[in-house]
Amino acid sequence: MIINLLEVFVVLSLIAAFGSIGVASIVASRRSVPGSGYLAATFLGCAVWCGAYAAELMSASLDAKVFWAKVAYVGIVIAPPSWLLFAAAHVGLLPSRRITPFLYVIPAATLVFVVLATDVGLVWSQTYIASSGALDMLVVDHGSWFWLHTVYSYACMAAGSTLLILGVVRQVRALTLQAVVMVLAALLPWVTNVLTIFQIVPVYHLDLTPPAFALSILLMLMALWRLEAFEIFPAMVTIAHHTVLREMQDGVVVTDLRGRILSVNEAAQQLLTAKRNVAGELLEDVLTMTDGDGNTRTLEAAAQERDGLHVLIEGHSAAMIEGVVTRLGRVGSWRGYVLVLRDVTEREATTRALRSSEERLRVLFDKSPVAVFVYDADLRVTECNDLLAKLLGISREAFVGSKLTVANASSLLSYCETALRGETSTFDGPFRIEGGEELWLQCRVSPLFSDDGPTGGMCVAWDLTSAKRAEALIERLAFHDTLTGLPNRSLLRDRLRQAIDEAEQGGTSVALGLLDIDRFKTLNEAIGHGTADELLHRLARRFEAVVRRGDTVARVAGDEFAFVLPSMADTAAALRMGEQILGALRETWELGGHTFTVTGSLGLALYPYDGEDAFELLENAERALRRARDAGGDRQQFYDLSMNLEAAERLEIEQGLRTAIAEGQLDVHYEPQISLEDGSVRGVEALVRWHHPERGLLMPASFIAIAEDSGQIGRIGEWVLRQACTQVANCNAKGGSELRVAVNLSPRDLLSGTLPATIADVLAATGLAPHLLEIELTETAVITELEASCRALEHVRDLGVSVVLDDFGTGYASLSHLHGLPIDKVKIDRSFVARCEEDEGAASIVAALVSLAHSLHLRVVAEGIETPGQAKFPRSLGCDEAQGYLISHPAPADSCPAFTCWQRSTVAIGASSWLSSLDV
């Protein structure tokens, strides 16, 4: 066991050493990250420490162990100050280069004392080998300097970690899990070192620090991979640099809000005459900005001024450099600044030459790097150079001699008029001539004088269009994905917060969906990276076509998309939208010579039920995504379990209905309708039932509404109509009777336009006489589309079929529209009949409804009769028919009393006895 423990420590130390080297190489390659060099030095120190400790454990002699222990101190003294300098550089608090070397004074002295040990006992006063179990371990007695260096190292690590935490919180606005993991990973080896030095947790005199480094390296890699604080700005600047800034003639400097330089293009590097890489330095240490009066300006002040700024650069005093500062980001959430520099030495020299000599003006016009034109007191152009003509998109000959108007001078016209009054003015803004594209010009318009006063003016124009477009591109790169053009994670958060704010004000819901393509890595390897990128691009277009206007589709990771869906009515609506999104993904793809299908896992969270803010909603949507992915993919998952169960149950019923008819799961039950005069059977009402294979017998209330929403109600209604007509026609044929059947239809059936034709086809196919069929429709269904409903019902009645108004009294047709409806019978709703015995109000309503219907020559049916008293009152009012559980429960055709009594040629189903008792 002891030998195995030694081997484990050696292996872990070597893993930590090689892992540190790997992390150091990754970090060193990210030169755009401030302080990356110091972070690489930290990990190199860790690599030396862990590797030397592994060699020490494997050495047998005291001299060999002492040698490797001294080598380990090279890494031990380098890591702590390097960590502190990395943290300071990353948060913009890096001390000057003169002070930095002093942080390594104590480590350097410690290293010297270690080399001289034990002759000089300040760090090691004595070394020897002690047996601990079966291990021979190097034991060191420490001197006073060792404790000084230990306190110094712990102070450096604590200060660096504190700075990093504060910096990350300020940058990402929240203490993310990745940031915490990164800091804890950095502190873990040092905490372990404390436990070892003070023998708080002794393990055979083994140093726990290198194994702790193995875990620390793993956690650090995870944090660096996920921590957006190290990804957003360097990635943005790199993309902009390679796509736009590198080819610009103007110098461009990108800084953060604190003025720390994130990147410069080649033109800016030349203007700054800096041979070193200035990324990570403060802008104020590199150049000074002043206004026209020589007052120093900060970046924020410069961004608020419209006029150009003068820029002073050390060692470049002979040149005249102007700058324009623009904020980067959005109002209320600025991300940094963009400083565009231009060497205007030639421009200023040209301007002075033009003022002093008209003859020199003509010579300089064609060679001037700026656009120039001259006009007289009548605003007529007397001269211009080719650069200006090219800028305006017209020939030089056509422009010279023309008069300045709004058409050819646009917004410059008023500045030209100001110059004729002897005033110099500047213009910086959009410029458009008739039929031309919009430019962004910075112009200086000056008057030309003679002894009699102003005789005209001269305009010197600087084209800033490319700089403005560069700013717009940088803005787009900061908030949009370069491959798909969709919003990225940063813009997604803004859109989500906005949707949540609007939902909170309007009392609505917001659905957030996160979609991950199943097994995308395998697919990527199979079809190639280029084809995979094309798949992502086309997939983005499909998603945009599926969602509604006002929804947001974003790409937040390699194969992860996000959907912000405001104004969701309920979970069912979100579920339907999610199914549409997954359906768009499942369609067959033909790309790069490959034909394949793709599936995805979709996690859904609904505001305000699954989160109070954007951050919590994102977290919960990610949890739902993980559950969908863990369940095998190709599905969607709600975060909340109860919502998920409800939605899943609804979806299960909807999908089950699609096969219910084909698999014979639907059945028709019949409820008899008798005459309240003599108890004879007049007919039956057909009621659909579903024999679900897992849930058992389902009543219509549990699936009819879902059938309506999913568009399946038409198939179900036609099946019930055909089945009921067939069974009643067979019953009548056997008993020589005329049993009547009533079938309920959906509002969709009524307004489909095919209802009369469907009924005629069913009657012809089943042989049922038209006068024996009644079509029942609810009062609300008829009134919703009154005119169209009346036309459809007239066609139905022309077939000889009767029309019954169901749930009579629950809507508003009874008073305002009943007279004009093409109906033959009304059914008083069971809610009134059930209360007529104990509720005088309900009894009055029933009496009024019966009287109103009879006055319109309509027959009346009282439904829901369950007690003799409930039957007695409608009978006393002259109500024609009744149905309910008192008479018979709904039953299949082979056991329904109405069918069996007709086949026995009888006229009543046991109703005569209790019916006659009602007269007592």
Side-chain angles (χ1 to χ4, degrees):
M1 174 179 176
I2 301 301
I3 295 176
N4 290 338
L5 181 61
L6 177 62
E7 293 176 352
V8 169
F9 265 70
V10 170
V11 171
L12 290 178
S13 299
L14 291 175
I15 291 174
F18 287 111
S20 297
I21 293 174
V23 175
S25 62
I26 294 173
V27 172
S29 66
R30 304 171 69 86
R31 297 180 181 178
S32 58
V33 177
S36 59
Y38 293 117
L39 186 58
T42 302
F43 281 99
L44 285 176
C46 295
V48 173
W49 185 357
C50 296
Y53 185 68
E56 176 193 330
L57 293 177
M58 292 186 291
S59 299
S61 65
L62 175 61
D63 291 340
K65 288 183 178 290
V66 168
F67 171 79
W68 286 113
K70 290 182 177 182
V71 172
Y73 258 82
V74 175
I76 292 173
V77 300
I78 290 175
S82 299
W83 172 254
L84 174 59
L85 290 172
F86 157 69
H90 192 74
V91 300
L93 298 177
L94 184 66
S96 68
R97 297 180 182 272
R98 299 175 182 177
I99 299 176
T100 300
F102 288 100
L103 294 176
Y104 290 91
V105 171
I106 293 179
T110 302
L111 190 59
V112 171
F113 294 146
V114 168
V115 173
L116 297 177
T118 58
D119 295 334
V120 176
L122 291 176
V123 177
W124 292 354
S125 59
Q126 185 178 0
T127 59
Y128 54 93
I129 293 180
S131 296
S132 179
L135 300 180
D136 292 332
M137 304 300 299
L138 175 65
V139 179
V140 177
D141 291 336
H142 298 116
S144 57
W145 187 269
F146 169 83
W147 302 109
L148 174 63
H149 177 260
T150 300
V151 172
Y152 176 78
S153 298
Y154 293 159
C156 288
M157 294 302 298
S161 300
T162 302
L163 286 176
L164 192 59
I165 290 177
L166 295 177
V168 170
V169 169
R170 285 197 301 268
Q171 190 164 335
V172 301
R173 304 300 182 190
L175 184 57
T176 64
L177 177 61
Q178 291 80 13
V180 173
V181 169
M182 185 173 181
V183 174
L184 292 179
L187 291 177
L188 177 60
W190 300 98
V191 173
T192 308
N193 187 252
V194 172
L195 300 178
T196 301
I197 289 176
F198 294 100
Q199 298 185 359
I200 299 175
V201 183
V203 182
Y204 299 103
H205 291 284
L206 288 170
D207 190 353
L208 298 176
T209 309
F213 265 117
L215 178 58
S216 175
I217 296 303
L218 177 61
L219 294 176
M220 186 68 71
L221 284 172
M222 293 171 57
L224 286 174
W225 183 264
R226 292 286 294 173
L227 188 55
E228 291 184 2
F230 289 87
E231 300 293 339
I232 296 174
F233 293 105
M236 176 194 71
V237 174
T238 300
I239 295 171
H241 180 273
H242 285 89
T243 55
V244 180
L245 304 183
R246 183 178 58 186
E247 303 299 330
M248 287 186 60
Q249 296 180 355
D250 294 338
V252 177
V253 180
V254 181
T255 76
D256 61 12
L257 288 174
R258 296 184 293 273
R260 184 180 61 196
I261 298 175
L262 298 177
S263 181
V264 295
N265 67 351
E266 294 179 5
Q269 195 78 12
Q270 293 177 2
L271 287 176
L272 298 175
T273 64
K275 296 182 180 180
R276 68 180 190 279
N277 184 5
V278 296
E281 296 189 19
L282 293 176
L283 184 66
E284 62 186 20
D285 295 337
V286 178
L287 55 83
T288 302
M289 294 179 295
T290 63
D291 59 12
D293 298 327
N295 299 316
T296 302
R297 283 289 179 264
T298 63
L299 279 168
E300 180 59 25
Q304 296 177 1
E305 294 181 3
R306 296 180 60 86
D307 295 334
L309 298 163
H310 298 292
V311 178
L312 304 178
I313 301 175
E314 184 178 357
H316 207 5
S317 57
M320 300 186 65
I321 300 175
E322 287 189 357
V324 177
V325 179
T326 305
R327 296 185 185 91
L328 178 63
R330 296 186 174 187
V331 177
S333 58
W334 301 117
R335 303 297 184 90
Y337 300 92
V338 177
L339 173 61
V340 180
L341 302 175
R342 172 168 289 189
D343 189 347
V344 296
T345 307
E346 288 186 77
R347 188 189 76 184
E348 291 298 322
T350 300
T351 303
R352 288 194 296 269
L354 289 173
R355 289 176 179 174
S356 63
S357 173
E358 184 175 347
E359 190 171 339
R360 291 181 62 186
L361 170 65
R362 187 171 300 280
V363 175
L364 293 174
F365 262 174
D366 294 334
K367 298 181 180 180
S368 174
V370 294
V372 183
F373 72 89
V374 180
Y375 59 94
D376 60 18
D378 296 325
L379 292 176
R380 194 170 300 278
V381 178
T382 59
E383 189 58 275
C384 77
N385 63 357
D386 291 335
L387 185 58
L388 180 84
K390 182 180 179 180
L391 197 64
L392 299 180
I394 59 178
S395 66
R396 181 174 180 176
E397 293 74 15
F399 190 58
V400 174
S402 65
K403 189 171 183 178
L404 296 177
T405 63
V406 175
N408 60 13
S410 185
S411 48
L412 275 177
L413 183 60
S414 61
Y415 295 87
C416 294
E417 293 172 344
T418 299
L420 293 179
R421 296 193 293 269
E423 301 176 13
T424 299
S425 57
T426 58
F427 167 78
D428 185 1
F431 177 90
R432 183 190 294 275
I433 61 173
E434 218 170 49
E437 66 174 336
E438 185 178 87
L439 306 174
W440 193 282
L441 299 182
Q442 186 180 77
C443 304
R444 184 182 183 90
V445 185
S446 305
L448 298 177
F449 292 93
S450 68
D451 294 339
D452 298 329
T455 59
M458 177 176 61
C459 176
V460 180
W462 177 19
D463 184 11
L464 295 180
T465 306
S466 61
K468 291 297 180 180
R469 289 175 179 171
E471 294 172 13
L473 179 57
I474 292 173
E475 178 80 11
R476 178 168 181 80
L477 291 173
F479 296 103
H480 289 80
D481 174 52
T482 55
L483 175 62
T484 62
L486 295 175
N488 61 13
R489 185 179 290 273
S490 297
L491 187 54
L492 170 73
R493 289 194 180 104
D494 290 340
R495 295 274 180 87
L496 182 58
R497 292 189 189 99
Q498 181 180 356
I500 288 176
D501 291 341
E502 293 176 355
E504 185 176 4
Q505 296 175 3
T508 59
S509 299
V510 178
L512 172 64
L514 292 180
L515 181 141
D516 198 9
I517 300 177
D518 295 334
R519 295 169 290 281
F520 182 74
K521 182 179 180 181
T522 303
L523 178 65
N524 197 358
E525 295 173 352
I527 66 178
H529 296 294
T531 305
D533 287 346
E534 179 64 17
L535 169 66
L536 294 173
H537 178 77
R538 294 195 183 184
L539 189 57
R541 305 290 80 80
R542 278 194 185 181
F543 287 154
E544 288 178 325
V546 167
V547 300
R548 306 163 302 171
R549 186 176 182 181
D551 294 344
T552 295
V553 183
R555 183 185 179 212
V556 295
D559 63 326
E560 186 174 335
F561 293 82
F563 304 86
V564 178
L565 309 172
S567 302
M568 281 287 104
D570 50 26
T571 57
L575 186 66
R576 286 194 294 271
M577 180 60 74
E579 189 59 34
Q580 293 180 23
I581 293 171
L582 291 177
L585 181 62
R586 294 187 190 111
E587 295 181 13
T588 302
W589 296 89
E590 294 183 1
L591 293 173
H594 302 274
T595 301
F596 54 92
T597 57
V598 181
T599 61
S601 302
L602 179 64
L604 292 169
L606 198 64
Y607 172 86
Y609 310 104
D610 300 333
E612 298 180 354
D613 52 30
F615 178 80
E616 187 176 356
L617 204 63
L618 275 168
E619 290 288 327
N620 291 338
E622 287 180 358
R623 294 188 180 97
L625 172 60
R626 285 194 295 270
R627 286 204 295 266
R629 200 161 43 215
D630 294 343
D634 192 19
R635 68 189 64 215
Q636 55 183 326
Q637 180 79 38
F638 271 106
Y639 165 70
D640 185 75
L641 183 59
S642 63
M643 292 170 60
N644 184 47
L645 290 175
E646 177 186 344
E649 180 180 2
R650 183 182 182 91
L651 182 60
E652 180 186 353
I653 291 177
E654 180 179 327
Q655 293 175 344
L657 282 173
R658 300 186 188 280
T659 59
I661 296 178
E663 296 181 358
Q665 297 175 9
L666 296 184
D667 192 11
V668 179
H669 287 201
Y670 298 91
E671 184 175 353
Q673 296 175 337
I674 68 166
S675 169
L676 282 177
E677 182 178 358
D678 57 12
S680 62
V681 177
R682 295 298 178 88
V684 292
E685 180 181 0
L687 303 170
V688 66
R689 298 290 187 268
W690 182 9
H691 294 279
H692 195 280
E694 297 176 358
R695 300 171 180 267
L697 185 66
L698 298 182
M699 297 294 105
S702 62
F703 63 87
I704 288 297
I706 298 176
E708 289 270 7
D709 294 340
S710 62
Q712 301 183 69
I713 192 65
R715 293 192 309 117
I716 295 175
E718 183 177 348
W719 182 87
V720 172
L721 176 64
R722 192 175 297 274
Q723 187 77 359
C725 290
T726 300
Q727 292 181 336
V728 172
N730 291 339
C731 175
N732 290 339
K734 292 178 182 179
S737 55
E738 289 193 342
L739 183 65
R740 188 183 64 227
V741 62
V743 179
N744 292 277
L745 291 181
S746 162
R748 291 194 178 189
D749 297 329
L750 179 63
L751 301 176
S752 65
T754 62
L755 180 61
T758 300
I759 294 176
D761 178 66
V762 170
L763 291 175
T766 60
L768 183 69
H771 71 278
L772 297 179
L773 175 62
E774 293 180 347
I775 298 302
E776 288 193 12
L777 292 149
T778 64
E779 185 178 343
T780 304
V782 174
I783 298 303
T784 302
E785 296 287 344
L786 183 60
E787 186 176 347
S789 298
C790 288
R791 286 197 302 268
L793 294 178
E794 288 288 0
H795 292 312
V796 171
R797 295 183 75 194
D798 290 342
L799 297 174
V801 176
S802 300
V803 177
V804 180
L805 194 65
D806 199 5
D807 298 338
F808 184 52
T810 60
Y812 48 87
S814 55
L815 298 179
S816 58
H817 303 96
L818 188 61
H819 177 71
L821 290 178
I823 58 177
D824 303 284
K825 184 189 296 185
V826 296
K827 296 179 71 173
I828 300 176
D829 188 71
R830 65 180 66 247
S831 62
F832 299 122
V833 175
R835 294 181 287 118
C836 65
E837 290 184 274
E838 67 277 358
D839 188 343
E840 293 184 2
S844 300
I845 292 175
V846 172
L849 293 176
V850 172
S851 175
L852 175 63
H854 282 164
S855 67
L856 295 174
H857 307 290
L858 300 175
R859 295 182 62 81
V860 183
V861 180
E863 61 178 346
I865 301 294
E866 298 184 2
T867 66
Q870 292 175 2
K872 181 177 182 179
F873 181 69
R875 184 170 185 258
S876 67
L877 297 174
C879 187
D880 303 286
E881 299 173 7
Q883 66 182 84
Y885 291 169
L886 180 65
I887 302 167
S888 173
H889 285 261
D894 56 2
S895 59
C896 178
F899 282 74
T900 57
C901 78
W902 275 106
Q903 292 171 6
R904 296 195 304 267
S905 300
T906 58
V907 296
I909 50 175
S912 300
S913 58
W914 62 261
L915 192 63
S916 59
S917 68
L918 299 182
D919 297 324
V920 178

